[in-house]
Amino acid sequence: MTADPSAWGPLRIVVFRNLWLALLASNIGAWMQTVGAQWLLVEQSGTDTLIAVVQTASTLPIAVFALPAGALADTFDRRRLLMATQLFLVAACGLLTVLTFAGRMPATLLLTLTFVLGAGQAVTAPAWQAIIPELVPRAQLPNASALGAISMNLARAVGPAIAGVLVARTGVGAVFALNTLSFVIFAYVLWRWRPPVTDAVRAPERFAAAVRAGGRYVRHAPLVKRILLRAGLFLVPGSALFALLPLVASRRLGLGSGGYGILLGAIGAGAVAAAVLLPRLRARWPLNTLMSVAGLIFAAALVVLGLVRSEVAVTVALVPAGVAWVLVLSSVNASMQLVLPGWVRARGLAVYQMVFAAGQAVGALVWGALSDASGLVVAYVSAAALMGAGVATQRWWPMRETAGLDLDPAVFWPEPHLEMEPDSHEGPVLVTVSYPVSPEREEEFAEAMEAVRRSRLRTGAVRWGLFRDGEQPGRFVEAYVVDSWDEHRRQHEGRLTGLDREAEERAQALADGPPHASHLFSARAGRD
């Protein structure tokens, strides 16, 4: 069956559609809560910085907790993890609702509970993102990522509009109550979903080891680091739009919560348009061109928000801003999903979520402080200038195409034959691999081994070196250390991909014979 190339193709997959709609409801509730909190602080005459810190409080937990959450999602059943998290969010948001109705919601407590809700979202995000490639074909991942961006931006449009009506008629407590209900809906849909049962081939990784493995993979994956860099260079200046938009609405344009909802509705309309345009634009333009144009469009919108006091002009400018936001972030998100192998997908996406959250949290704090000190005009124009500078760096640090990479699991190492039975957690383990190499190929072989080095470090090695034998000319010895025998067994049984096999085959093609591997264990093991 061929993949549906349309922007809405993933929604024809029933499971994806149901979960996407449930997540949309949850996103709407989250934005209702955020906007309700911001307007509550506006009514309490909060400073620019305090109002902007609502966004920081909701996104900072993702920067702090996302990687451990990704380790949990790669280690345990993702559906059950998501269900437990939604129940935690129901309890936290229920407490927020009760205290708000009781009139016991000072700014400090509001920001604290916003942080707690953000911690729950930190667990939700990587688990959900890691599930998507299991639900839709690889060719539809860019469209699925665009639909995720649509969900967020539709929520940004619909949530504040609902929140504005509820705040005006019933108060902020009703906004928080509906957010609680949204978590209940997501938990119910997850409970109804019955994914296929798969046989577990290995015991789960230990939590601390899983966290270290996720961070190690990202550190030694150049493609992943480049994607994260491009995301950060867009998100830090881009966060100014959302962090300060309540102030533009209330102070510069004289709008209430309903008018603020209209502004966010314009961004949502742009998000929907971006999803429709994305397949055509990706077919017509190279990825870097698409991201550069989107960045410049967003910078222009920031200038309009800073300099123009017309409600109509600001609303019109926010439509292409919504288009640009979705074009950039859906492209970045799809690239991350395409470049990460299954065994570390949730942890890699968690690091992306950390960059996403930290970029917005730090950006919101900086732009709020700058607005307090110098005014909205200076803050928005400065953010636009920084966005333009980030676009200029595309020349030196471009995105790289990831669609053609072979990231399917590849089990191609020979089974180790040991005369002992090591404990799975015994370590460290030193692995040596010797290669016979002709003198005329030594330099080329050493260069080819650089890709092998990155592969070893991504998949479990903590140290690596390539050595030349002083007694036997033409003999190279690769040596690397893994923390435990279990870590090395995981390299044998599922962490390697077709990309890793290609790197090894290129290096081995330059050797004069097959490599010979040895496994060395600590001589102190078992003495105590």
Side-chain angles (χ1 to χ4, degrees), residues 463-467 477-480:
R463 293 193 298 277
W464 184 94
L466 182 65
F467 304 91
V477 177
E478 173 195 8
Y480 60 94

Side-chain angles (χ1 to χ4, degrees), residues 437-449 468 476 510:
V437 181
S438 301
E440 64 272 12
R441 291 183 173 180
E442 289 182 352
E443 184 176 348
E444 190 178 359
F445 174 79
E447 292 177 358
M449 287 297 290
R468 195 190 306 265
F476 280 75
L510 298 169

Side-chain angles (χ1 to χ4, degrees), residues 18-29 82-83 86-87 90 177-193:
N18 291 342
L19 290 171
W20 183 85
L21 289 172
L23 188 65
L24 174 62
S26 182
N27 286 337
I28 289 173
L82 285 170
M83 288 176 59
Q86 302 320 300
L87 294 177
V90 168
L178 277 182
N179 189 27
T180 304
L181 178 61
S182 74
F183 296 130
V184 173
I185 292 172
F186 195 16
Y188 173 73
V189 173
L190 287 165
W191 175 73
R192 290 290 305 271
W193 174 38

Side-chain angles (χ1 to χ4, degrees), residues 26-173:
S26 182
N27 286 337
I28 289 173
W31 272 101
M32 289 171 57
Q33 192 274 337
T34 298
V35 171
Q38 287 181 321
W39 278 101
L40 189 60
L41 290 176
V42 168
E43 291 174 354
Q44 294 176 0
S45 300
T47 65
D48 293 8
T49 302
L50 187 62
I51 293 167
V53 163
V54 171
Q55 181 170 313
T56 301
S58 62
T59 55
L60 185 60
I62 301 176
V64 175
F65 301 124
L67 183 55
L72 289 174
D74 276 332
T75 303
F76 298 105
D77 182 274
R78 289 166 182 162
R79 170 179 168 270
R80 293 181 180 179
L81 178 64
L82 285 170
M83 288 176 59
T85 303
Q86 302 320 300
L87 294 177
F88 167 80
L89 290 170
V90 168
C93 201
L95 177 62
L96 176 65
T97 302
V98 171
L99 293 177
T100 300
F101 275 124
R104 299 178 179 275
M105 189 48 61
T108 304
L109 183 58
L110 175 63
L111 292 174
T112 300
L113 288 174
T114 300
F115 183 90
V116 170
L117 292 174
Q121 295 296 335
V123 179
T124 299
W128 163 247
Q129 291 285 337
I131 283 174
I132 292 175
E134 301 172 10
L135 302 178
V136 303
R138 184 178 177 86
Q140 290 193 24
L141 280 179
N143 291 342
S145 295
L147 286 169
I150 286 178
S151 172
M152 181 60 70
N153 285 279
L154 278 178
R156 234 186 226 119
V158 176
I162 297 174
V165 173
L166 289 176
V167 168
R169 296 189 177 183
T170 61
V172 176

Side-chain angles (χ1 to χ4, degrees), residues 70-394:
L72 289 174
D74 276 332
T75 303
F76 298 105
D77 182 274
R78 289 166 182 162
R79 170 179 168 270
R80 293 181 180 179
L81 178 64
L82 285 170
M83 288 176 59
T85 303
Q86 302 320 300
L87 294 177
F88 167 80
L89 290 170
V90 168
C93 201
L95 177 62
L96 176 65
T97 302
V98 171
L99 293 177
T100 300
F101 275 124
R104 299 178 179 275
M105 189 48 61
T108 304
L109 183 58
L110 175 63
L111 292 174
T112 300
L113 288 174
T114 300
F115 183 90
V116 170
L117 292 174
Q121 295 296 335
V123 179
T124 299
W128 163 247
Q129 291 285 337
I131 283 174
I132 292 175
E134 301 172 10
L135 302 178
V136 303
R138 184 178 177 86
Q140 290 193 24
L141 280 179
N143 291 342
S145 295
L147 286 169
I150 286 178
S151 172
M152 181 60 70
N153 285 279
L154 278 178
R156 234 186 226 119
V158 176
I162 297 174
V165 173
L166 289 176
V167 168
R169 296 189 177 183
T170 61
V172 176
V175 172
F176 298 156
L178 277 182
N179 189 27
T180 304
L181 178 61
S182 74
F183 296 130
V184 173
I185 292 172
F186 195 16
Y188 173 73
V189 173
L190 287 165
W191 175 73
R192 290 290 305 271
W193 174 38
R194 293 293 184 269
V197 177
T198 57
D199 296 330
V201 296
R202 289 193 61 83
E205 294 180 68
R206 288 186 172 183
F207 177 73
V211 172
R212 290 194 299 270
R216 189 167 54 238
Y217 184 93
V218 171
R219 285 199 308 275
H220 298 289
L223 288 175
V224 172
K225 291 193 291 185
R226 179 61 55 83
I227 293 169
L228 296 177
L229 174 64
R230 295 310 325 167
L233 289 173
F234 178 80
L235 286 165
V236 171
S239 65
L241 187 149
F242 300 104
L244 302 178
L245 193 58
L247 302 175
V248 172
S250 61
R251 296 182 185 176
R252 290 177 61 83
L253 302 180
L255 302 175
S257 58
Y260 177 46
I262 291 174
L263 297 183
L264 289 173
I267 299 174
V272 175
V276 175
L277 294 172
L278 183 61
R280 300 175 186 174
L281 292 176
R282 285 181 63 88
R284 180 175 299 180
W285 287 351
L287 177 60
N288 288 292
T289 301
L290 180 65
M291 292 187 62
S292 294
V293 171
L296 292 175
I297 290 173
F298 203 93
L302 292 174
V303 171
V304 172
L305 263 67
L307 299 181
V308 178
R309 290 181 175 270
S310 166
E311 178 183 348
V312 173
V314 169
T315 303
V316 170
L318 288 174
V319 175
V323 173
W325 181 266
V326 171
L327 289 180
V328 172
L329 294 184
S330 63
S331 297
V332 168
N333 187 278
S335 296
M336 282 293 292
Q337 290 180 340
L338 289 169
V339 81
L340 290 168
W343 70 271
V344 75
R345 182 177 295 130
R347 281 164 282 185
L349 288 167
V351 175
Y352 166 70
Q353 293 292 335
M354 290 170 63
V355 172
F356 186 90
Q360 293 189 88
V362 173
L365 192 60
V366 169
W367 305 125
L370 184 59
S371 179
D372 259 340
S374 304
L376 284 169
V377 174
V378 172
Y380 270 119
V381 172
S382 299
L386 186 59
M387 178 69 75
V391 171
T393 65
Q394 198 101 12

